[in-house]
């Protein structure tokens, strides 16, 4: 009677362009161009959503693993830096700070003055404990972050000697002190 049916799997979801041709003995051949739109079934949608969810979970796990690895590298770098830092006798450092330029140092001291600006900190750190809560011998410390400490707090800095720095004293004079670029501050 000129009718026929065929079951076929459409190649992809969405628009599928097909060319249908039919011929039979005693009939004139016919052809037709068709566009059939295939939509996902509920089961296929559920599978796709689950796959997408699993990809998001794997991506989040990979990001967290990279973050943990980065934290571990940073912790190891910190430990290595701290382990390699030395404390140079203040008198030797003050005498010729340029001789120690680039040397990794560690100093524990009392904050004599501190200022924070735009997320960075500079301070005068008194590094010689004279006893009876009296500290002497200042170094100029620059740190690329903020700290919790305030004047008279005790901190330990780990950094690199950068030469010397001058600053104006309260009585109007100028003083030169060793300068350290701190990488880490323990409070």
């Amino acid at each position: 009677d000129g009718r026929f049916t065929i079951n076929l799997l459409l190649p992809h979801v969405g628009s599928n362009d097909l060319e249908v041709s039919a011929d039979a003995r005693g009939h004139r051949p016919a052809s037709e161009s068709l566009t059939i739109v295939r939509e996902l079934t509920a089961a296929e949608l559920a599978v796709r959503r689950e796959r997408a969810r699993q990809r998001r979970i794997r991506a989040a796990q990979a990001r967290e693993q990279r973050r943990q690895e980065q934290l571990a590298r940073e912790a190891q770098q910190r430990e290595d830096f701290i382990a390699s830092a030395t404390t140079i006798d203040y008198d030797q450092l003050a005498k010729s700070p340029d001789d120690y330029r680039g040397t990794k140092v560690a100093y524990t001291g009392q904050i004599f003055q501190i200022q924070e600006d735009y997320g960075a900190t500079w301070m005068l750190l008194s590094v010689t404990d004279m006893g009876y809560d009296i500290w002497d011998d200042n170094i100029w410390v620059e740190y690329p972050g903020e700290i919790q400490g305030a004047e008279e707090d005790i901190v330990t800095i780990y950094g690199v000697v950068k030469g010397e720095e001058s600053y104006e004293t309260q009585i109007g004079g100028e003083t030169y002190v060793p300068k350290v670029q701190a990488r880490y501050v323990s409070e």
Side-chain angles (χ1 to χ4, degrees), residues 59-100:
Q61 289 170 335
R63 281 192 306 274
E64 178 61 17
Q65 181 174 350
R66 286 190 303 272
R67 188 181 78 80
Q68 291 297 327
E69 289 169 354
Q70 179 64 25
L71 289 173
R73 278 191 302 275
E74 289 170 2
Q76 186 62 52
Q77 288 171 349
R78 178 184 171 104
E79 286 179 33
D80 293 346
F81 189 93
I82 289 171
S84 66
T86 61
T87 300
I88 301 167
D89 178 70
Y90 182 82
D91 291 336
Q92 293 299 313
L93 181 61
K95 180 176 78 172
S96 53
D98 284 334
D99 290 351
Y100 296 100

Side-chain angles (χ1 to χ4, degrees), residues 4 7 23 32 38 40 67 88 124 142 160 163-164 175:
F4 65 92
N7 290 326
D23 60 43
E32 185 81 31
R38 179 178 180 274
L40 293 175
R67 188 181 78 80
I88 301 167
L124 280 174
E142 293 180 356
V160 177
E164 65 183 358
T175 299

Side-chain angles (χ1 to χ4, degrees), residues 18-84:
L18 303 172
E19 186 70 32
V20 178
S21 299
D23 60 43
R25 202 179 327 197
H27 295 278
R28 199 174 75 220
S31 65
E32 185 81 31
S33 294
L34 301 171
T35 298
I36 300 175
V37 178
R38 179 178 180 274
E39 295 179 354
L40 293 175
T41 66
E44 290 172 320
L45 283 171
V47 167
R48 282 195 175 189
R49 280 193 293 269
E50 179 59 20
R51 285 182 184 155
R53 187 180 78 80
Q54 291 297 324
R55 279 192 304 273
R56 287 191 304 273
I57 289 171
R58 285 191 302 276
Q61 289 170 335
R63 281 192 306 274
E64 178 61 17
Q65 181 174 350
R66 286 190 303 272
R67 188 181 78 80
Q68 291 297 327
E69 289 169 354
Q70 179 64 25
L71 289 173
R73 278 191 302 275
E74 289 170 2
Q76 186 62 52
Q77 288 171 349
R78 178 184 171 104
E79 286 179 33
D80 293 346
F81 189 93
I82 289 171
S84 66

Side-chain angles (χ1 to χ4, degrees), residues 118-121 142-146 181-184:
Y118 299 108
T121 301
E142 293 180 356
Y143 178 63
E146 295 181 350
Q181 177 68 49
R183 189 175 294 179
Y184 306 106

